[in-house]
Amino acid sequence: MHDVPKNIEARRRIAFFSNSLFMNMPRAPNVEKMMAFSVLTPYYDEEVCFGKENLRTPNEDGISILFYLQKIYEDEWRNFMERMKREGMEDEDDVWDKKSRDLRLWASYRGQTLSRTVRGMMYYYRALKMLAYLDSASEVDIRAGTQEIASHHSSRRGHEYGSALMKFTYVVACQVYGQHKAKGDPRADEILHLMKNNEALRVAYVDEVHLGRDEAEYYSVLVKYDQEQQREVEVYRVRLPGPLKLGEGKPENQNHAFIFTRGDAVQTIDMNQDNSFEEALKMRNLLEEFKVHYGIRRPTILGVRENIFTGSVSSLAWFMSAQETSFVTLGQRVLANPLKIRMHYGHPDVFDRFWFMPRGGVSKASRLINISEDIFAGFNCTLRGGNVTHHEYIQVGKGRDVGLNQISMFEAKVASGNGEQILSRDVYRLGHRLDFFRMLSFYYTTVGFFFNTMVVVLTVYSFLWGRLYLALSGIEGYAMETSKNNKAFGVILNQQFFIQIGLFTALPMVVENSLEHGFLPAVWDFLTMQLQLASVFYTFSMGTRAHFFGRTILHGGAKYRATGRGFVVQHKSFAENYRLYSRSHFVKAIELGVILIVYAAHSPMAQDSFVYLAMTLSSWFLVLSWIMAPFVFNPSGFDWLKTVYDFEDFLNWIWYKGGVFTKAEHSWETWWYEEQDHLRTTGLWGKLLEIILDLRYFMFQYGVVYQLNITGGKTSISVYLLSWIYMIAVMGIYVVMMYAQERFAAKEHIKYRLTQLVVISMTVLVLTLLLDFTSFTLLDLVSSMLAFVPTGWGLISIALVLRPFLESTVVWDTVVSLARIYDLLFGVIVMAPVALLSWLPGFQAMQTRILFNEAFSRGLQISRILSGKKTN
């Protein structure tokens, strides 16, 4: 039924690998004596199976999902078409009509859909039927019936079917299935089709029954497809005390369906996972591990490794695959033995169902801290005397995010979840119960990694702000003049260059690849990843983790982010990228860039270009990575026409006023208010710390003012206080211009132009007087811009914290208006290098080659030739 590798040697290697694993596994009983087990998949509102329209719809480049899959899985597409022709299809175009179901399933089995997960998990059922048949069959029966038992459509129904149904059940927790049925959503028909073709499949959902007068009852319902009656039937209906969805959907989805699982063990599976038949055969051996003592206890969670199957889709998917592999396999193997501190990571893990049922289930039943519900199962297990192990001899397929926006939202979700873990009582209790060495291991496996990432970013900030202070205060110049050994002094100051080298963070990945594939392939993979700009991606991810982890600790308010698991073949607009990365990356990168520019202008050590570059190279790399990564890893990110249209769309988004019900993707103002929501819920200490952090922006003004020629070398505090006259004057000009625009621009145009003329004339007059009667120079004007623009941003940031007091005053309109101008300025700064690279020839082709694999890059070029450049 499914496409298999043509290479016989490859199949022999797979068979040998499976056999060699079986040799290390515990001896399994026959099927009648093995433990019964269930598989539980929480599914909320994602793709069940690709529809014909999904497959056909092209993006701006004329690329559809099917075209994308045909180029990546070229040989498998040929095999599929041959199979369809063998089954009666005459013309290739008939695949859309006569074989549309097969086509949609073929595409869905290569995506991250529920159909793929159900197919993979139902291999357990087929494996159990096969094993039950082999346990009792004679040699003659085996020759006649093995192939029939292994196939989907078998007419034989012996004892093996009863044994398999008794030992295995698969529950999909589709919380919204009832709503889909009521609305006639196509996804309900797709789920019904899955139940019809998989007799061990059950679906659990929440049924809302309206009684009238705004009263409703809620039920957890389990349904299956009755093969004899040929319809969906209800198995259980359990009344709930109230509405289910109190917090995020996934944990409650698992908890309400957990009661419908059967057997001694339950394996939790995500919606984007897969399995294979040869791995499913090992499950009864794996279940025997529950009878083996590891230390003084039997295991309550059996950790299972994951095989990331999305690594070939794009370079980003490969980076995520490598990162996940080194953590989930190498890391968890060591953490389970000898460190004994492995928690529940990843959803292929198998739980002792009877142990977890009376101890709160496998998900955190909390409204606030359940973003990282996986890890709390491990916390609960450890606190209540359970035991967690990790096993390498069975693996389950796992899909990962394949686009930068998806990956960033996933990283933000995980980082916010770790921020919540720090604030949770579970970590507090574990900290009181673990010994010192296990505590160190526990720190490394959970919040320590994110805390370390935040410390690295804060180290860069501290280093650059410290260097800026040394340069502007004159300490650096004085030290260079008085120190006899300037080289030693330079080496001490340049220690940050070694701190920021990220090669050590890649060491676990190289070690894991060496164990799995050999040393030379591991080194080659590492070098290839560097050529595909992996360092840019990992540096960008570091910024995402540090931002959201720190923000959650300061203000709380973490929220679940639905990342989606689709194929990323569509160009993301500049406005969308700006909304996602403005506060977490762009503003911070611009701040660090301004520090580096001011330092270069005023540091005596930076006069030597080589010394300056050697000292700040890693910092400039950080700045460029944080600004450019969303465009480097964006399909058609350096296409000139798209860049022009993107900037036009960005300007429309900035200036669109909108209304009460306007969405953030349409209006800057709506997005801006949503972006500050975390400040409204934070406490007094959070607001106070935010204000203290925002005070750093005033240091630019304080330091640069004394370097201006107009001061004449004076260092009195009055110089700094007088500099605020400049800020007040600029603010006054801005308020007058905004007032004139609102009052006169529409109807009294002459008055508006007259106001502009007066303001411009006054400004030119003041500048002329300063140039003639003081030591003011035009270079001072540029320096003062670098000093006072950060001051304005600092004032806006503090005003946002004080929003409850300012929102009802006339000052707030000025704050909103000024913030809009700043976001426009930041957008122009970020867009400038993107526009330059888009204008230069060759960058777009190089970016496509870096981002996608060779087959798809070739297909993308062909598609452009055939369809031509499409404009908006």
Side-chain angles (χ1 to χ4, degrees):
M1 281 295 292
H2 307 295
D3 306 310
V4 294
K6 294 178 181 178
N7 191 342
I8 295 173
E9 285 302 317
R11 280 183 282 180
R12 283 178 180 165
R13 282 198 295 273
I14 291 169
F16 175 74
F17 178 67
S18 300
N19 290 335
S20 64
L21 286 176
F22 267 120
M23 290 168 63
N24 298 320
M25 296 179 74
R27 185 177 179 277
N30 61 30
V31 172
E32 299 297 333
K33 294 180 181 177
M34 73 172 276
M35 286 183 177
F37 72 102
S38 299
V39 172
L40 176 62
T41 296
Y43 163 86
Y44 187 56
D45 204 7
E46 310 241 359
E47 202 77 60
V48 180
C49 181
F50 287 126
K52 284 196 286 187
E53 293 307 314
N54 298 93
L55 295 177
R56 275 180 163 165
T57 305
N59 67 358
E60 300 97 327
D61 286 314
I63 302 164
S64 63
I65 290 176
L66 188 63
F67 175 82
Y68 180 80
L69 292 171
Q70 286 170 346
K71 293 300 171 187
I72 290 183
Y73 305 106
E74 208 164 349
D75 56 338
E76 295 179 22
W77 173 252
R78 283 198 301 270
N79 294 347
F80 171 71
M81 293 305 289
E82 286 176 21
R83 179 155 56 86
M84 291 298 100
K85 287 175 182 175
R86 231 178 21 248
E87 292 177 6
M89 187 183 76
E90 296 175 359
D91 188 14
E92 288 195 2
D93 291 335
D94 291 343
V95 76
W96 291 102
D97 301 316
K98 297 178 181 177
K99 298 291 183 182
S100 64
R101 174 75 71 177
D102 294 284
L103 173 67
R104 291 166 59 208
L105 285 173
W106 183 87
S108 301
Y109 291 157
R110 280 147 190 83
Q112 299 184 45
T113 59
L114 182 65
S115 300
R116 179 175 189 159
T117 307
V118 169
R119 181 196 66 168
M121 294 306 110
M122 291 310 295
Y123 283 134
Y124 286 129
Y125 181 59
R126 293 171 62 190
L128 285 173
K129 286 192 296 182
M130 169 79 82
L131 292 170
Y133 181 77
L134 293 175
D135 280 342
S136 59
S138 65
E139 190 174 343
V140 176
D141 291 335
I142 288 172
R143 286 178 182 174
T146 304
Q147 288 184 340
E148 196 174 357
I149 292 294
S151 69
H152 269 304
H153 309 288
S154 174
S155 58
R156 296 166 60 96
R157 297 188 67 86
H159 77 284
E160 62 276 353
Y161 284 87
S163 297
L165 279 171
M166 215 166 36
K167 295 295 177 183
F168 171 76
T169 184
Y170 181 28
V171 179
V172 175
C174 180
Q175 189 173 314
V176 292
Y177 179 56
Q179 296 174 26
H180 287 168
K181 285 197 294 184
K183 294 175 185 175
D185 194 304
R187 283 174 288 191
D189 294 330
E190 302 291 354
I191 291 172
L192 182 63
H193 177 79
L194 290 175
M195 282 196 287
K196 184 177 180 179
N197 287 278
N198 300 285
E199 59 184 325
L201 179 62
R202 308 284 184 267
V203 172
Y205 68 95
V206 179
D207 190 23
E208 186 176 342
V209 179
H210 292 279
L211 304 175
R213 290 184 296 180
D214 297 330
E215 292 182 13
E217 289 182 348
Y218 299 88
Y219 296 90
S220 278
V221 182
L222 184 74
V223 294
K224 70 172 185 177
Y225 190 86
D226 194 306
Q227 301 292 341
E228 293 179 2
Q229 300 180 38
Q230 291 292 301
R231 66 182 182 87
E232 178 189 295
V233 295
E234 208 171 274
V235 184
Y236 296 112
R237 175 174 285 263
V238 180
R239 186 174 175 181
L240 299 171
L244 176 73
K245 195 172 185 299
L246 300 174
E248 306 303 338
K250 185 178 174 183
E252 280 133 357
N253 212 359
Q254 273 189 328
N255 283 337
H256 99 93
F258 195 56
I259 57 170
F260 297 131
T261 56
R262 293 191 289 113
D264 309 68
V266 59
Q267 184 178 29
T268 50
I269 291 292
D270 257 347
M271 209 283 294
N272 60 332
Q273 299 203 229
D274 197 5
N275 203 0
S276 56
F277 185 70
E278 59 269 26
E279 296 294 330
L281 289 169
K282 306 171 192 172
M283 178 51 93
R284 65 172 180 171
N285 298 69
L286 182 73
L287 292 175
E288 288 296 290
E289 292 288 347
F290 279 118
K291 300 174 182 177
V292 180
H293 281 78
Y294 286 88
I296 60 172
R297 298 187 185 94
R298 293 192 178 99
T300 45
I301 300 179
L302 298 177
V304 177
R305 69 172 284 173
E306 293 174 329
N307 169 45
I308 311 299
F309 57 72
T310 51
S312 62
V313 172
S314 68
S315 58
L316 288 177
W318 186 29
F319 302 155
M320 282 295 284
S321 172
Q323 179 178 309
E324 193 79 6
T325 302
S326 63
F327 177 69
V328 172
T329 56
L330 180 73
Q332 297 313 307
R333 184 191 300 144
V334 173
L335 298 172
N337 184 25
L339 296 182
K340 296 297 290 179
I341 200 61
R342 183 191 187 276
M343 297 297 172
H344 168 48
Y345 281 103
H347 269 93
D349 291 359
V350 185
F351 294 84
D352 183 337
R353 184 171 164 274
F354 292 140
W355 195 91
F356 273 91
M357 278 285 275
R359 289 175 174 84
V362 295
S363 282
K364 186 70 174 177
S366 164
R367 184 172 184 172
L368 297 175
I369 56 170
N370 56 11
I371 287 181
S372 301
E373 84 285 344
D374 317 345
I375 190 70
F376 282 104
F379 289 170
N380 192 27
C381 177
T382 305
L383 283 169
R384 294 171 185 263
N387 195 5
V388 186
T389 65
H390 185 69
H391 299 283
E392 291 292 309
Y393 42 64
I394 185 170
Q395 63 180 5
V396 177
K398 173 76 171 177
R400 286 252 63 100
D401 309 275
V402 295
L404 185 69
N405 292 3
Q406 294 175 349
I407 291 169
S408 296
M409 284 192 282
F410 172 76
E411 295 274 12
K413 180 179 74 175
V414 173
S416 300
N418 274 269
E420 287 181 339
Q421 286 174 42
I422 281 187
L423 306 173
S424 70
R425 67 186 71 180
D426 300 68
V427 170
Y428 174 80
R429 288 168 178 168
L430 281 167
H432 277 267
R433 285 164 173 76
L434 295 175
D435 60 74
F436 177 72
F437 296 104
R438 287 186 77 196
M439 192 68 223
L440 291 179
S441 306
F442 171 72
Y443 170 78
Y444 172 76
T445 60
T446 52
V447 298
F449 173 71
F450 291 87
F451 188 78
N452 179 56
T453 303
M454 188 174 71
V455 167
V456 168
V457 174
L458 290 176
T459 303
V460 176
Y461 265 83
S462 304
F463 174 79
L464 291 180
W465 276 107
R467 294 305 294 259
L468 183 67
Y469 172 75
L470 290 175
L472 294 177
S473 63
I475 294 173
E476 190 177 84
Y478 176 76
M480 287 186 69
E481 288 173 6
T482 56
S483 174
K484 295 179 181 179
N485 191 352
N486 286 338
K487 287 184 179 179
F489 180 68
V491 168
I492 292 168
L493 289 179
N494 291 343
Q495 289 302 309
Q496 174 261 359
F497 182 72
F498 297 101
I499 291 170
Q500 239 181 289
I501 290 177
L503 295 176
F504 295 109
T505 58
L507 191 62
M509 183 180 68
V510 175
V511 171
E512 172 62 23
N513 285 340
S514 301
L515 287 171
E516 302 261 339
H517 309 295
F519 180 69
L520 288 178
V523 173
W524 176 249
D525 279 353
F526 177 74
L527 293 175
T528 309
M529 288 175 74
Q530 298 312 309
L531 292 173
Q532 291 191 323
L533 305 181
S535 297
V536 173
F537 167 73
Y538 288 127
T539 305
F540 187 82
S541 294
M542 181 176 70
T544 308
R545 288 192 291 266
H547 172 78
F548 286 98
F549 181 72
R551 196 171 84 172
T552 305
I553 290 174
L554 267 181
H555 307 294
K559 58 183 179 181
Y560 183 83
R561 289 169 170 82
T563 58
R565 306 285 186 180
F567 295 105
V568 180
V569 293
Q570 197 160 4
H571 173 81
K572 300 295 181 185
S573 70
F574 178 77
E576 183 177 347
N577 281 331
Y578 188 83
R579 285 193 295 274
L580 278 173
Y581 306 120
S582 168
R583 299 300 182 259
S584 58
H585 294 85
F586 295 158
V587 172
K588 290 180 170 63
I590 291 168
E591 178 191 344
L592 295 177
V594 171
I595 291 174
L596 290 167
I597 292 168
V598 173
Y599 179 75
H602 299 291
S603 167
M605 191 176 284
Q607 303 306 316
D608 187 338
S609 301
F610 177 76
V611 171
Y612 175 74
L613 278 175
M615 186 168 48
T616 61
L617 187 64
S618 56
S619 300
W620 275 116
F621 179 76
L622 181 84
V623 170
L624 292 174
S625 296
W626 283 6
I627 287 179
M628 295 304 296
F631 309 102
V632 170
F633 298 113
N634 185 16
S636 304
F638 296 124
D639 185 291
W640 174 248
L641 276 178
K642 283 190 172 61
T643 304
V644 172
Y645 291 133
D646 277 357
F647 191 63
E648 186 181 341
D649 175 56
F650 173 72
L651 291 177
N652 292 334
W653 174 72
I654 282 280
W655 295 113
Y656 182 72
K657 295 289 184 183
V660 180
F661 301 107
T662 309
K663 293 183 178 178
E665 53 263 31
H666 300 139
S667 166
W668 169 87
E669 199 165 323
T670 307
W671 167 81
W672 188 72
Y673 278 111
E674 287 180 3
E675 196 67 25
Q676 323 306 331
D677 275 347
H678 63 279
L679 293 173
R680 293 174 70 89
T681 57
T682 188
L684 178 64
W685 283 109
K687 290 181 178 179
L688 193 62
L689 283 169
E690 186 71 26
I691 291 172
I692 291 169
L693 288 172
D694 291 334
L695 291 176
R696 71 183 186 272
Y697 295 112
F698 299 113
M699 185 177 166
F700 283 106
Q701 180 186 347
Y702 183 72
V704 172
V705 159
Y706 293 100
Q707 309 297 323
L708 300 178
N709 294 316
I710 192 172
T711 60
K714 294 178 181 177
T715 56
S716 169
I717 190 69
S718 59
V719 174
Y720 173 67
L721 296 175
L722 284 170
S723 70
W724 278 94
I725 296 173
Y726 176 89
M727 280 298 299
I728 294 166
V730 170
M731 289 294 293
I733 291 170
Y734 180 75
V735 169
V736 168
M737 295 293 285
M738 287 296 103
Y739 177 78
Q741 186 177 5
E742 287 180 14
R743 188 76 183 270
F744 306 129
K747 295 180 180 178
E748 301 178 71
H749 202 62
I750 294 172
K751 288 185 179 179
Y752 177 56
R753 292 300 180 195
L754 186 64
T755 307
Q756 285 184 321
L757 178 64
V758 170
V759 169
I760 292 168
S761 302
M762 290 290 292
T763 306
V764 171
L765 179 64
V766 169
L767 285 174
T768 306
L769 290 172
L770 287 172
L771 287 168
D772 285 347
F773 295 103
T774 66
S775 53
F776 184 77
T777 63
L778 289 175
L779 191 63
D780 283 356
L781 192 63
V782 177
S783 296
S784 60
M785 285 287 288
L786 288 174
F788 294 115
V789 169
T791 303
W793 182 247
L795 290 171
I796 291 171
S797 302
I798 291 171
L800 286 171
V801 181
L802 303 175
R803 178 180 165 186
F805 308 105
L806 298 177
E807 201 165 12
S808 57
T809 65
V810 292
V811 178
W812 186 250
D813 290 336
T814 307
V815 171
V816 175
S817 179
L818 203 59
R820 190 192 305 271
I821 297 298
Y822 266 92
D823 272 314
L824 178 61
L825 175 66
F826 294 150
V828 170
I829 292 171
V830 172
M831 179 59 90
V834 178
L836 177 64
L837 294 176
S838 302
W839 179 71
L840 293 172
F843 270 91
Q844 177 53 50
M846 184 172 70
Q847 187 240 7
T848 304
R849 182 65 190 86
I850 288 172
L851 186 56
F852 295 109
N853 65 32
E854 189 174 359
F856 181 63
S857 298
R858 187 172 64 249
L860 182 59
Q861 302 305 328
I862 294 166
S863 131
R864 284 187 173 151
I865 293 167
L866 294 176
S867 64
K869 288 275 186 178
K870 295 200 174 186
T871 60
N872 291 353

